[in-house]
C-alpha cells in the first residue's frame, strides 16, 4: 500500500452511505446498481458493504458489496474513485472483507470480473484469487466474465 492509503478508514457501510455508494456506482460501473439495489444490499442480514473513507471517514472513495450464505461469500461490486486508484484502497477493502470472513467462518469468496478488465484481474491475482471458469458474453456480446475464487 502507498502512504496515502494509511489515511483511509475502512468501515461497515450504513444506510447513510447509500448516496455515496450510488455515486461510486455511477462513476465507476458501465451498468451501475440503482439506489433500490444498494439499499436492499445494505439492509440484507446476509450482506452489506464496506466503504473506504478519507477525511476522517466523511469522504467515501471506495466500496465493496457482498452477500453470503453459510460459508461462501460473493462480491457483487467493488468500486474505487479514479483519483484514488493505485493507492491500495481496493486492497484495503479486500483485506477488510477477508477479516470479516475470518470472523464469520466464511471460507470462500467468489467474484466475476470482465475478462478485459486487466487492472482488476491483476489485483485479484495478487490477492490470491484463482480463475476457475469463464462465462461467455456475461457482460454483453464478446464480453466474457472470468469467474474467480479465494479460499480464506
Amino acid at each position: 500500500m502507498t502512504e496515502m492509503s494509511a489515511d483511509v478508514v475502512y468501515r461497515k457501510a450504513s444506510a447513510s452511505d447509500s448516496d455515496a455508494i450510488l455515486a461510486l456506482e455511477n462513476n465507476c460501473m458501465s451498468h451501475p446498481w440503482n439506489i433500490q439495489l444498494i439499499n436492499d444490499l445494505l439492509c440484507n442480514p446476509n450482506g452489506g458493504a464496506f466503504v473506504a473513507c478519507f477525511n476522517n471517514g466523511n469522504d467515501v472513495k471506495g466500496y465493496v458489496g457482498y452477500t453470503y450464505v453459510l460459508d461462501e461469500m460473493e462480491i457483487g461490486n467493488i468500486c474505487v474513485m479514479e483519483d484514488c486508484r493505485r493507492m491500495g484502497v481496493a486492497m484495503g477493502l479486500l483485506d477488510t472483507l477477508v477479516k470479516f470472513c475470518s470472523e464469520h467462518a466464511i471460507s470462500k469468496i467468489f467474484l466475476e470480473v470482465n475478462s478485459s478488465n486487466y487492472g482488476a484481474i491483476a489485483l485479484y491475482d495478487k490477492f490470491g484469487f484463482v480463475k476457475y471458469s469463464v462465462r461467455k458474453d456475461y457482460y454483453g456480446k464478446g464480453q466474457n466474465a472470468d469467474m474467480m475464487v479465494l479460499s480464506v
Side-chain angles (χ1 to χ4, degrees):
M1 290 188 194
T2 66
E3 293 176 38
M4 187 159 203
S5 65
D7 297 332
V8 181
V9 173
Y10 299 95
R11 63 172 172 76
K12 183 110 165 91
S14 67
S16 65
D17 294 310
S18 61
D19 287 338
I21 292 172
L22 179 63
L24 281 163
E25 283 281 332
N26 288 329
N27 184 273
C28 300
M29 305 302 272
S30 57
H31 302 287
W33 289 6
N34 63 42
I35 194 70
Q36 185 61 54
L37 290 173
I38 293 166
N39 287 332
D40 289 349
L41 178 69
L42 295 178
C43 294
N44 184 338
N46 289 333
F50 289 101
V51 291
C53 305
F54 289 76
N55 299 322
N56 298 319
N58 296 321
D59 192 11
V60 175
K61 294 288 194 170
Y63 99 100
V64 58
Y66 62 87
T67 56
Y68 63 93
V69 175
L70 300 174
D71 65 339
E72 295 184 345
M73 175 179 281
E74 181 175 2
I75 293 175
N77 279 343
I78 184 167
C79 302
V80 175
M81 290 297 270
E82 194 168 347
D83 63 340
C84 294
R85 292 181 187 159
R86 302 196 187 286
M87 294 181 183
V89 174
M91 189 68 81
L93 286 166
L94 290 172
D95 282 335
T96 302
L97 198 66
V98 167
K99 182 178 178 191
F100 176 87
C101 289
S102 296
E103 294 167 353
H104 292 83
I106 296 168
S107 61
K108 291 194 183 297
I109 303 173
F110 295 89
L111 61 81
E112 64 265 341
V113 58
N114 193 312
S115 299
S116 65
N117 189 343
Y118 304 116
I121 292 169
L123 168 70
Y124 300 139
D125 285 342
K126 182 177 178 182
F127 205 83
F129 280 86
V130 176
K131 178 178 167 181
Y132 68 90
S133 186
V134 174
R135 286 189 178 157
K136 305 238 2 124
D137 301 327
Y138 185 77
Y139 293 107
K141 183 100 173 122
Q143 297 200 23
N144 300 334
D146 288 355
M147 307 303 296
M148 301 183 85
V149 64
L150 174 71
S151 294
V152 226

